[in-house]
Amino acid sequence: MRELLGKKLKYDVTTSYGLVLLPSKSVLNQEHLDLFQQHRIDLMDIMTTEDEQESESGSSLDSTELLVQRASQYAKDLFERIQSQKKIPLLEIKNELIPIVQQAAENPDLFQLFQAVKAKDEYTHQHNIGVGILSTLIGKWLNLEDNEVALLSLAATMHDVGKIKISEEILMKPGKLTSDEYDEMKQHTIRGYNMLRETVGINYRVALVALQHHERADGTGYPLGLRDTQIDRMSRIVAVADVFHAMSSKRPYHEMMPFYEVVSRMREGFFGELDPHIVSVFLTNMIQNLIGRKVMLTDGRWGEVVYINPTDDTNPLVKIDDIFVDLSRERHIHIKEVVV
């Protein structure tokens, strides 16, 4: 019953005698629900609509967040089962989990999707799903074939499966890892690769993503120090999604970074660490979606992005009340947060 609170009636609610108890468009409160009970109104018959002040995109955000929560809980249960049973249920993952990941990636509102996939607690499992969804999105932007996107969704969602063999103390440590702990953490790539390679029916590239998602184009990554095209393309896509999601989320050892810093670091990765084409496609799609968005600036003011400067696209023109602020000139002010 309580789920009806705050909802708006789509139609009049009437008694069995035709008396209107509450007209359409009324916003339901507890007194209304008590009234319905007194008149023995079947709550299953009550049709509601979203509040007129709430946009259609608001309900899309709710549904996407529900999908992400559902997938994250599924991933948590799944990884616990893999840990105890020492077996990856590939068919179940393909049939049950991956369709949820792909459905969530269909949300046309990019920043709503970013908001929905941000890890706020239970980082490990939310990260698996967030990277799965973001990689699926990037795969579509890169015009991969449907079968390639499906394979990418699976590989990205399972990229960190090797972490089930890393101790909770290391995974959840709030401070910086010691060199020994970091060496142990890096083993999750090899352990995940071995687990997936031993799974009957798995595509070899899914195992490669688990092994290579921390490799970097300039050779500074691990575990093998591969470079450029030595790294499978799917691994390069997952690396971009992995880095973006990690910086955008709350983690045991740091808070989520402000928008401008995430973009700045992605741009830095463009020059050496990450695949420049994939980063370019990702940032171009993200920045173009800023137009018309409400943003909070680092000086505390709120405004709306009205123009993207093609020569300085991360510092757009922002309208604040009746004035325009050109962030490409006001170099000390940045976008801290994009509001959904």
Side-chain angles (χ1 to χ4, degrees), residues 61-113:
L61 176 59
D62 291 342
S63 62
T64 303
E65 283 189 335
L66 286 172
L67 284 171
V68 172
Q69 288 169 13
R70 183 175 152 204
S72 298
Q73 184 58 50
Y74 195 108
K76 183 175 186 293
D77 297 340
L78 172 71
F79 277 52
E80 286 173 356
R81 277 191 287 135
I82 293 172
Q83 193 166 30
S84 62
Q85 297 171 9
K86 310 291 190 267
K87 185 178 178 182
I88 296 173
L90 180 61
L91 195 60
E92 177 192 332
I93 294 167
K94 284 182 175 179
N95 292 338
E96 302 291 336
L97 181 57
I98 301 308
I100 305 174
V101 168
Q102 292 187 316
Q103 185 181 348
E106 293 293 327
N107 188 331
D109 190 315
L110 187 60
F111 283 98
Q112 282 186 358
L113 185 59

Side-chain angles (χ1 to χ4, degrees), residues 12-15 18-23 32 35-36 39 41:
D12 294 346
V13 175
T14 60
T15 66
L19 174 68
V20 176
L21 278 179
L22 202 63
H32 298 145
L35 184 65
F36 296 160
H39 288 270
I41 302 295

